């Protein structure tokens, strides 16, 4: 049996397992669980870490100020060293739109051993817990716009199901060519790593959250010691979910219907940086894991079209058939995510191209780390943590 045949059959076997054995990650029907409105609506404090977000804040902050929430609500915007007037803009928007009380605060430079966003979240959580009796904290990014009933539905789900953490993967913006090529695949790959059904299984081992929208119960945060216990985390949302689950909390993650990112990614460069900044951290800064990931991406995403082309040119039937079947399964599992993002299904067979891009982004992430640049984001660079958080 030729090497091409081995690779093609191995790729088909891998896709068979992904189709049926990876928590049905490709399905997009994991939405907020059944819920009933609570008899008494608990107090909620919203914490918004913001660093140089003046471009998107006018599209996101008014949606928080306009929440149709029956209980007590306060908003805390943490201006994390912005140079574009983010804090002043937040105050002006609050004055213009009204709504719940809004506080703008600044945490100063991150203390040693803290990533910037978690330092800002720490400051916002401390203010919220000190100034309010909030039962829940909504941690949401400055580029996230919420539908008017978003918070109400999140709280109802948490109360109805006894959940300590409820997170929704915001629907990211998909307008430009590169957004169409990269963004739906980003969520598809995330779900492949952290199948939502496994995350939501009580007592399960898989834990993840989407940092753009996390409703966290106050007692769960204190019990898990967050964010202090995850202060070095670059992938803060997954680390948060793991900390809550380790402390005995119940978590839930799904796709959003009322939560959208308004951040534009006009070209490949910004999307590349979004992925590469944390890809090597996801691999625990491990060269062996990097090598295994590159090989895996090659076999799973690149081998099927290569086998089809090579089989067609050489007349090798087995690689042609196995590669074609693997490619068909790949496209078929990607189609639901494209429908969720309202994108044409002809993009599904192009997933190998996006897979190659992600492979290169992952390698670039490792290269940047070994050059001493670590995970870079908004002017800050984070080296490998000295010890696990």
């Amino acid at each position: 049996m030729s090497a091409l045949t081995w690779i093609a059959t191995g790729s088909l076997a891998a896709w068979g397992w992904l189709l049926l054995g990876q928590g049905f990650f490709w399905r997009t029907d994991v939405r907020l669980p059944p819920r009933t409105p609570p008899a008494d609506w608990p107090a909620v404090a919203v914490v918004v870490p913001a660093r140089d977000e003046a471009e998107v804040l006018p599209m996101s902050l008014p949606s928080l100020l306009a929440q149709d929430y029956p209980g007590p609500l306060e908003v805390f915007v943490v201006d994390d060293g912005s140079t574009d007037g983010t804090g002043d803009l937040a105050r002006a928007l609050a004055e213009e739109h009204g709504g719940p009380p809004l506080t703008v605060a600044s945490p100063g430079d991150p203390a040693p051993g803290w990533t910037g966003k978690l330092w800002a979240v720490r400051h916002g959580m401390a203010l919220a817990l000190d100034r309010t009796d909030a039962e829940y904290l909504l941690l949401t990014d400055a580029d996230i716009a919420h539908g008017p009933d978003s918070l109400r539905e999140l709280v109802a789900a948490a109360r109805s199901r006894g959940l300590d953490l409820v997170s929704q993967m915001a629907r990211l913006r998909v307008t430009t060519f590169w957004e169409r090529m990269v963004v739906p695949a980003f969520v598809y790959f995330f779900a492949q790593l952290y199948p939502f059904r496994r995350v939501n299984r009580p007592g399960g081992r898989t834990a993840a959250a989407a940092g753009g929208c996390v409703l966290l119960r106050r007692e769960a945060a204190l019990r898990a010691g967050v964010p202090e216990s995850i202060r070095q985390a670059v992938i803060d949302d997954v680390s948060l979910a793991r900390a809550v689950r380790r402390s005995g909390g119940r978590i839930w993650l799904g796709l959003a219907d009322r939560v959208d990112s308004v951040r534009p990614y006009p070209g490949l460069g910004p999307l590349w940086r979004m992925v590469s900044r944390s890809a090597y951290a996801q691999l625990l800064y491990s060269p062996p894991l990097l090598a295994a990931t590159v090989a895996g991406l090659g076999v799973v995403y690149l081998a099927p079209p290569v086998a089809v082309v090579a089989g067609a040119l050489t007349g090798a039937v087995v690689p042609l058939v196995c590669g074609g079947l693997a490619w068909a399964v790949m496209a078929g599992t990607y189609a639901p995510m494209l429908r969720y993002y309202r994108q044409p299904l002809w993009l599904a067979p192009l997933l190998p191209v996006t897979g190659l891009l992600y492979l290169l982004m992952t390698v670039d992430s490792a290269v940047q780390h070994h050059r001493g640049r670590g995970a870079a984001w908004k002017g800050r660079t984070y080296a490998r943590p000295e010890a696990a958080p």
Side-chain angles (χ1 to χ4, degrees):
M1 188 180 293
S2 68
L4 181 62
T5 300
W6 277 111
I7 293 173
T9 54
S11 182
L12 179 58
W15 276 108
W17 178 78
L18 287 171
L19 176 67
L20 301 175
Q22 187 61 358
F24 296 100
F25 76 95
W26 44 271
R27 294 182 58 173
T28 56
D29 57 349
V30 181
R31 310 296 174 88
L32 279 177
R35 53 209 174 273
T36 56
D40 59 320
W41 289 93
V44 178
V46 181
V47 176
V48 186
R51 179 173 171 84
D52 292 331
E53 298 287 13
E55 179 185 6
V56 298
L57 212 58
M59 297 177 282
S60 60
L61 187 56
S63 74
L64 290 172
L65 299 174
Q67 283 299 297
D68 178 20
Y69 185 68
L73 175 64
E74 291 195 37
V75 179
F76 296 84
V77 175
V78 184
D79 182 7
D80 182 18
S82 300
T83 59
D84 64 351
T86 288
D88 291 337
L89 177 59
R91 294 185 186 95
L93 290 169
E95 184 176 346
E96 176 186 352
H97 293 275
L102 181 140
T103 300
V104 178
S106 176
D109 292 333
W114 284 81
T115 59
K117 179 181 176 181
L118 285 173
W119 180 248
V121 169
R122 173 190 177 275
H123 191 72
M125 287 179 60
L127 283 175
L129 297 179
D130 180 59
R131 298 186 184 181
T132 75
D133 59 352
E135 181 179 336
Y136 292 96
L137 298 163
L138 175 63
L139 310 179
T140 184
D141 288 345
D143 66 321
I144 301 299
H146 293 255
D149 60 348
S150 171
L151 180 58
R152 182 154 40 87
E153 294 298 306
L154 286 166
V155 171
R159 275 288 190 90
S160 297
R161 310 285 290 191
L163 298 168
D164 296 290
L165 182 151
V166 180
S167 179
Q168 289 185 293
M169 176 71 72
R171 201 190 303 257
L172 306 179
R173 199 188 90 139
V174 178
T175 302
T176 67
F177 169 78
W178 286 114
E179 286 171 343
R180 291 188 174 96
M181 288 294 294
V182 174
V183 167
F186 176 81
V187 181
Y188 173 87
F189 292 147
F190 183 91
Q192 193 175 89
L193 283 173
Y194 306 104
F196 295 168
R197 283 175 170 77
R198 291 185 180 175
V199 170
N200 300 340
R201 186 182 302 159
R205 298 176 59 184
T206 304
C213 176
V214 177
L215 185 74
L216 178 63
R217 197 161 66 91
R218 178 191 192 119
E219 291 182 8
L222 296 174
R223 187 173 61 240
V226 294
E228 285 80 4
S229 63
I230 58 170
R231 61 187 177 276
Q232 292 181 310
V234 174
I235 309 174
D236 52 90
D237 44 11
V238 173
S239 298
L240 171 62
R242 287 173 176 168
V244 171
R245 171 152 281 175
R246 279 198 304 267
S247 66
R250 292 189 60 192
I251 66 176
W252 184 94
L253 171 64
L255 294 174
D257 291 315
R258 301 171 179 85
V259 182
D260 299 278
S261 172
V262 296
R263 188 180 305 283
Y265 292 97
L268 180 58
L271 288 162
W272 189 288
R273 289 188 291 273
M274 178 188 73
V275 176
S276 66
R277 71 184 178 96
S278 60
Y280 199 42
Q282 180 71 57
L283 300 177
L284 307 178
Y285 307 97
S286 167
L289 277 178
L290 173 66
T293 298
V294 169
L297 287 171
V299 170
V300 173
Y301 291 100
L302 305 184
V306 170
V308 168
V309 172
L313 292 176
T314 62
V317 176
V318 174
L320 176 64
V321 172
C322 289
L325 289 173
W327 199 352
V329 174
M330 182 196 315
T333 60
Y334 190 38
M337 189 62 69
L338 289 173
R339 283 195 293 267
Y340 171 74
Y341 272 97
R342 307 181 185 98
Q343 297 302 305
L345 294 184
W346 59 260
L347 288 169
L350 299 182
L351 188 57
V353 177
T354 308
L356 175 60
L357 287 174
Y358 273 82
L359 186 155
L360 296 175
M361 292 171 186
T362 302
V363 172
D364 180 62
S365 179
V367 169
Q368 296 306 318
H369 170 79
H370 287 290
R371 286 179 175 175
R373 298 175 186 174
W377 190 245
K378 292 200 173 184
R380 289 186 177 131
T381 301
Y382 307 106
R384 175 180 179 173
E386 295 181 1

